[in-house]
Structures are given as structure tokens and as C-alpha cells.
Amino acid sequence: NEVINVYPLSFSFYNNDNKGFYGNKKAPNVNFSSNYIIYNYPYESSIYTLDTITGIINSYGGQSQYTMNVAEECHSKNDYSAWERHFVENPHFYEVSCLSELGIYVRLHLKEKSYEPDMSFQELIDGKTLYAMCFDEEFNIIGEVELKKQRYSYFTGWCALSNSMLYFVDNSLSEEVDGEELIVDLMFPNPLKSGIEKGEKEPNRK
């Protein structure tokens, strides 16, 4: 196997010595667009780009109006139950996706939530609030919206299409999931309205 090129990614602005520990949020989310590598860290809201031609790295603020923008550090490196609690009590920022037909980007993130020891980890996660944020080609924020509660799977139960986001309706707290149908929601970002329009639900038989 031949190595074509190596592109070292920068550490987070909030963890520039890489000594902070954030449980299972530490590894970066990485995506690609034309000549850029786009990446971000699950524990904070900034977005980073690496130009594969020049090697220049830029950072952009992707701060939410509705959630914390930087997670607190996780104080245990060995106790997985502490990692689970940390995941619940802090925000989680997902990968940045490109909608190529529209020339915009979408990033989802989960809001922090109070930890309730009488609830299962699955119930706590599925009860969190999910937000979608849209960016233009220069990563200026276009809009941010809260998505319907207790409807989607937060373990990356979605995918980016050329002009929309597709979300799988799959949440343990939802009364709409019966296991007999595969249901998805299509959401179309509308830059002119600085938000996201929801399309028709598309039921697909298994």
C-alpha cells in the first residue's frame, strides 16, 4: 500500500494541547468537500477546515443559541458509566455535512440534559433535544432550528442528500415507531428563510 499524502489535523481551540479528556467525544468528526477536509470535535461547536492544496487550517465559530458550546471535561478515564453520564450532561456536536446542490452545510447537535439515575442510558439519550444548524459556503450561520423531540435516533440516524437531510424515525420514546415500517423524514434547508422546511414523511416497507 502506498501513502499518497498525510494531512495532520489541528487540535481543538479549546483543547490545544490535547490533554483534556472528554470520554467518547474525543475523536474528531471528519468529512470532505472539494479541496477541503472539514472536521470538528464532538465536545465543542467550532468548525475547522484544512485546505489540501495549501495546507492552511481555518476555524469558524458554530456557536448555538440554545445549548452549551463547550462540554465540560470527563473526570474518569476508566469508568464507562462516568462516560455515559458525561454524554448525557453535555452537548454533543455531530459531523458537518455538505448539501452539494444547495452549496450549504448542515451540522446537528444534541443539547445537554440533567442526569436522572432512575432512567436507563437509552431513555436519557432518546430524551435529549436535537438541533440542526445551517451554514453557507463560508461557514457563516444561516439558521438553527430545534427538531421534533423523541422522534429520531441520535446514534447518527440520518444522512445528507444533495438538497436535503434524511432522518430515520427511530426513537425508543416515540409512540410512532412500531417496527413494521421504515419511516424517514426529509428536511429541506431554505437559505432564503434562514431555516429548514420539513418535507413529507416517506414510509418505506421493509
Side-chain angles (χ1 to χ4, degrees):
N1 296 331
E2 182 180 353
V3 176
I4 298 175
N5 212 334
V6 176
Y7 298 100
L9 304 181
S10 65
F11 297 133
S12 163
F13 175 81
Y14 295 95
N15 186 26
N16 55 21
D17 59 2
N18 201 34
K19 293 182 179 180
F21 184 71
Y22 297 89
N24 54 12
K25 301 177 186 289
K26 187 173 184 179
N29 305 308
V30 181
N31 219 327
F32 305 89
S33 178
S34 62
N35 293 327
Y36 290 92
I37 298 174
I38 304 167
Y39 61 103
N40 66 312
Y41 290 87
Y43 55 82
E44 60 108 340
S45 60
S46 302
I47 296 171
Y48 304 85
T49 61
L50 187 155
D51 188 317
T52 58
I53 304 300
T54 66
I56 294 174
I57 293 175
N58 286 306
S59 63
Y60 306 87
Q63 285 83 2
S64 171
Q65 300 180 69
Y66 306 109
T67 73
M68 294 167 52
N69 285 293
V70 182
E72 297 177 354
E73 288 193 38
C74 182
H75 299 294
S76 175
K77 294 185 177 182
N78 303 310
D79 183 357
Y80 192 74
S81 65
W83 292 22
E84 291 183 335
R85 179 163 185 162
H86 180 265
F87 189 96
V88 171
E89 293 181 330
N90 287 276
H92 185 94
F93 297 89
Y94 294 99
E95 75 282 353
V96 178
S97 299
C98 178
L99 309 191
S100 57
E101 186 177 318
L102 303 179
I104 65 174
Y105 299 91
V106 175
R107 185 204 62 203
L108 305 182
H109 69 279
L110 285 174
K111 186 174 183 176
E112 62 278 0
K113 179 181 173 63
S114 297
Y115 185 82
E116 300 178 46
D118 295 335
M119 298 179 67
S120 70
F121 179 65
Q122 185 70 56
E123 290 174 319
L124 289 167
I125 294 301
D126 283 349
K128 296 190 80 169
T129 304
L130 183 66
Y131 291 86
M133 182 176 281
C134 294
F135 304 86
D136 65 16
E137 290 180 316
E138 297 180 348
F139 295 100
N140 298 303
I141 297 172
I142 299 173
E144 180 181 18
V145 294
E146 177 184 326
L147 303 185
K148 187 174 180 180
K149 291 184 172 68
Q150 300 180 6
R151 184 167 179 84
Y152 307 115
S153 169
Y154 301 147
F155 295 99
T156 60
W158 51 79
C159 65
L161 306 179
S162 63
N163 66 347
S164 59
M165 292 291 293
L166 183 150
Y167 301 84
F168 294 96
V169 178
D170 182 16
N171 187 294
S172 66
L173 302 179
S174 174
E175 297 180 356
E176 302 176 52
V177 178
D178 60 9
E180 297 299 320
E181 290 183 329
L182 174 61
I183 302 174
V184 303
D185 287 347
L186 288 175
M187 296 188 187
F188 298 87
N190 187 339
L192 296 178
K193 293 184 179 180
S194 299
I196 296 178
E197 291 186 344
K198 183 174 177 181
E200 295 295 325
K201 291 183 289 185
E202 300 287 342
N204 295 292
R205 300 287 178 180
K206 290 183 177 179

